[in-house]
Amino acid sequence: MKTLLSLILLFLISTVANAEIVELAKYQDGFGRERTVKLVLKGDQPSAVIIPCEKDDGSEGFVYQPINYLFAVESYLKEIHEKYLEWTQTAIDNGVKEYEKKFGASGYLYGFLWYNPDRRYGSSELNAVWKYSQDMNIVEATAKVVDNNGSYEIANFNLTFSCSKDIDMLLESISDSNIKSHTPVTTDNLFR
């Protein structure tokens, strides 16, 4: 499975030069950062989504997920969202002052894209942790990614959510209905 996804990711990134990239959603997250989620169209068909995230050094990185594997992102985000709400309420109800709990690993590989200064890409699982205290209540999903380009550079990525609304906005951005609304309508699309 890991090899197959890596090969698919390689193919998608190598063909991005012949693709159109459109904005799926733009919103401001709970940290005040502007987030722009993009859709890659290849031959007027959705090919991948590009979700912004950060590298450990503070530079920009992206989750680059093929459409056929978008279910993996959605599934993990929904799991995180459900537990975020449940654990937050449990902490409040029981007067917990500070707590940290790890989620299980995502179980699927995600594609990652970054520049240093050349384009780099690789794939990895996400591992999320919920961090709760009186000053913060966040979920941080991290990935350690090895560049598949031959340099074998290792990059650490963070996708951080400050509230359940952050997760909701990202889920809405990558929803089927939002992707369809940004996909050009052709005669072939009418009969799928």
Side-chain angles (χ1 to χ4, degrees):
M1 174 82 173
K2 288 183 180 185
T3 304
L4 176 63
L5 186 55
S6 294
L7 290 173
I8 291 170
L9 181 63
L10 258 170
F11 173 76
L12 285 173
I13 290 175
S14 68
T15 59
V16 133
N18 300 327
E20 179 184 359
I21 299 176
V22 297
E23 184 178 293
L24 269 180
K26 185 180 260 183
Y27 59 89
Q28 192 170 45
D29 70 10
F31 294 108
R33 301 174 298 199
E34 188 170 280
R35 295 298 193 194
T36 304
V37 179
K38 297 182 180 178
L39 175 67
V40 178
L41 294 170
K42 180 103 169 127
D44 288 335
Q45 294 298 311
S47 172
V49 294
I50 302 171
I51 301 168
C53 60
E54 290 76 35
K55 290 175 46 190
D56 272 354
D57 64 7
S59 64
E60 194 172 47
F62 304 94
V63 177
Y64 186 97
Q65 194 69 357
I67 287 293
N68 294 344
Y69 292 94
L70 193 54
F71 71 90
V73 175
E74 290 173 314
S75 173
Y76 201 52
L77 287 174
K78 287 176 182 175
E79 177 187 338
I80 288 169
H81 186 264
E82 183 180 306
K83 288 298 184 184
Y84 180 95
L85 294 173
E86 177 187 330
W87 292 346
T88 299
Q89 191 59 51
T90 300
I92 291 168
D93 291 348
N94 293 285
V96 174
K97 302 288 184 215
E98 190 172 319
Y99 197 75
E100 188 171 302
K101 185 164 177 68
K102 291 183 181 183
F103 290 88
S106 61
Y108 289 98
L109 292 178
Y110 302 88
F112 291 88
L113 174 66
W114 72 101
Y115 297 87
N116 187 25
D118 299 323
R119 184 188 325 201
R120 307 275 190 226
Y121 53 88
S123 56
S124 178
E125 283 187 318
L126 282 171
N127 292 286
V129 63
W130 173 67
K131 298 175 182 180
Y132 178 83
S133 73
Q134 292 177 339
D135 299 327
M136 72 173 178
N137 184 15
I138 65 170
V139 170
E140 186 173 69
T142 60
K144 184 175 186 175
V145 182
V146 177
D147 169 37
N148 290 343
N149 249 1
S151 74
Y152 301 106
E153 172 190 342
I154 296 173
N156 294 305
F157 290 83
N158 300 304
L159 190 58
T160 308
F161 305 100
S162 69
C163 58
S164 66
K165 185 178 177 186
D166 285 354
I167 302 168
D168 286 335
M169 288 187 291
L170 182 51
L171 280 168
E172 176 56 34
S173 298
I174 63 174
S175 68
D176 280 343
S177 61
N178 196 37
I179 289 171
K180 285 179 184 173
S181 73
H182 288 83
T183 302
V185 177
T186 65
T187 304
D188 289 339
N189 291 353
L190 297 174
F191 302 99
R192 290 195 178 268

